[in-house]
Amino acid sequence: MTTARIYQRPKNAMQSGRARTHEWVLEFVPSDRVRPDPLTGWAGSGDTQKQVILGFPTLEAAQGYAEREGIAYRVIAAAAPKLKLQSYADNFR
């Protein structure tokens, strides 16, 4: 049986926008370890489920899909954002 994790997309650290951070993602947990290819040295495995990433508008929709398809899942809660409050004058101290 496959297992999956459901989480909310984090904000991209390289951009200031919050696009697609409201989406919930269902991603399968890898069932096979990654090993290097003997010819090229690239990392790979026989697990094709790790290529499947499904997006949902709400947590309930993602949980409903997993239950309907018989997929065991766990929900990973989003970390609380840490705000670093400082004034502009703090840049010159």
Side-chain angles (χ1 to χ4, degrees):
M1 172 173 269
T2 60
T3 59
R5 32 181 187 237
I6 298 174
Y7 61 92
Q8 197 168 15
R9 284 189 193 270
K11 180 186 158 310
N12 186 348
M14 296 293 132
Q15 297 177 345
S16 62
R18 296 193 176 274
R20 299 179 67 185
T21 57
H22 61 279
E23 285 185 358
W24 287 86
V25 176
L26 184 137
E27 179 179 71
F28 291 98
V29 176
S31 61
D32 191 16
R33 66 182 188 89
V34 177
R35 54 191 181 278
D37 182 49
L39 181 61
T40 62
W42 294 357
S45 77
D47 183 20
T48 58
Q49 293 238 327
K50 71 178 183 177
Q51 300 172 3
V52 178
I53 299 173
L54 302 173
F56 296 93
T58 63
L59 173 62
E60 292 78 21
Q63 288 175 330
Y65 175 81
E67 290 170 0
R68 187 172 58 250
E69 298 299 322
I71 301 168
Y73 67 90
R74 66 183 166 106
V75 177
I76 300 172
K82 297 178 185 175
L83 297 177
K84 182 180 177 186
L85 299 176
Q86 66 181 23
S87 68
Y88 180 70
D90 290 340
N91 294 330
F92 304 102
R93 291 187 185 173

